[in-house]
Each structure stands twice: as C-alpha cells, then as structure tokens.
Amino acid sequence: MKKNIFATFLTFVVVGLFCGCSSIETSEKFNSLGVAAERTEPIAHINSSIWGLYLFDTIPIVCGSANSSGKSAAFMDTVALDNALMAATRRARGIGASKLIDIRSEIHSKWFLLLPICWIREAQVSGTAIK
C-alpha cells in the first residue's frame, strides 16, 4: 500500500515538473464599449500569470518561464511582477497595440497543502491593450 501511495505521489511530482507554470490569456470581446476617457480603440484585454513552487517559501523548485508562456524553469526564481509585466507588454506589442492601460498587478504566496514544506507563489498582471 505504501509503495502505491509513494508511486502516485512521485508521478504527480514528475508531471508537475514538466508542466508550464506561466500563461497569457487574451480576450477581444468588448461589446462595442469604450475602455478609456479618450477615444481609443481597444484591441484586447491581456492577463499574464507566472507561478512557481518554492521550498520553505524561499528556494525555487520549479517556476514558470519568464520568456515563453507554457514553459517552466527549474531552480530559477522567475515569479516577479517585472517578468509578468514584461510578458503582458510583449503580447500587447505582438498584437499591434501602442499602449497598455488600466494595469493591475498582484503577487501572493500560499502554503501548498499537499507538501507541507512547499509554497506556491504567483505574480499576475492584467491590462487593456489599445491602439
């Protein structure tokens, strides 16, 4: 029984190491509403998120890649607002935006219940890309 539990736990750890820990979501549905006081054309709303698993909330084990969405980086501390903002502005430029407005950022850390010595930290930035 203990071997089955350990094998299951080890499987989850291995799968977690190979999954991406960063994502960028884009929505283009504004229902013909303006998004700023000035007459600007909204292109998309962008949400960038980078999260990682930390040992004792200080040592990075696996974190999302700061350079490409859906990839991970082992033992590199990439969970930072700078990296999440860089990913959001990179996506805004890539879709033809000249500005990113209404930027909101958040960073938080939570204790990971399945592994009592681990924490999950996440940095998130969102904003609206305009022409």
Side-chain angles (χ1 to χ4, degrees):
M1 181 69 175
K2 288 183 181 180
K3 288 182 181 180
N4 288 339
I5 292 173
F6 181 72
T8 304
F9 174 75
L10 191 59
T11 302
F12 281 118
V13 169
V14 169
V15 168
L17 289 175
F18 290 107
C19 70
C21 304
S22 60
S23 66
I24 297 180
E25 301 288 328
T26 305
S27 176
E28 300 170 357
K29 297 181 181 179
F30 292 99
N31 293 327
S32 303
L33 293 176
V35 293
E38 301 173 12
R39 292 190 176 260
T40 58
E41 182 181 342
I43 298 173
H45 184 77
I46 299 170
N47 185 9
S48 171
S49 175
I50 302 175
W51 63 273
L53 186 65
Y54 287 78
L55 186 65
F56 302 114
D57 201 23
T58 56
I59 303 168
I61 299 171
V62 62
C63 297
S65 173
N67 296 322
S68 58
S69 177
K71 297 195 177 179
S72 58
F75 308 111
M76 293 179 63
D77 190 9
T78 60
V79 180
L81 288 177
D82 289 345
N83 292 335
L85 182 60
M86 182 180 63
T89 54
R90 186 182 307 132
R91 172 62 64 96
R93 275 194 202 113
I95 59 176
S98 64
K99 293 181 183 177
L100 190 64
I101 61 170
D102 298 330
I103 297 173
R104 180 184 163 123
S105 62
E106 179 181 354
I107 189 163
H108 61 272
S109 183
K110 294 179 186 176
W111 179 50
F112 188 49
L113 294 175
L114 298 177
L115 299 170
I117 59 172
C118 293
W119 277 256
I120 294 178
R121 190 181 304 166
E122 180 181 20
Q124 198 171 63
V125 171
S126 65
T128 302
I130 61 172
K131 283 190 176 185

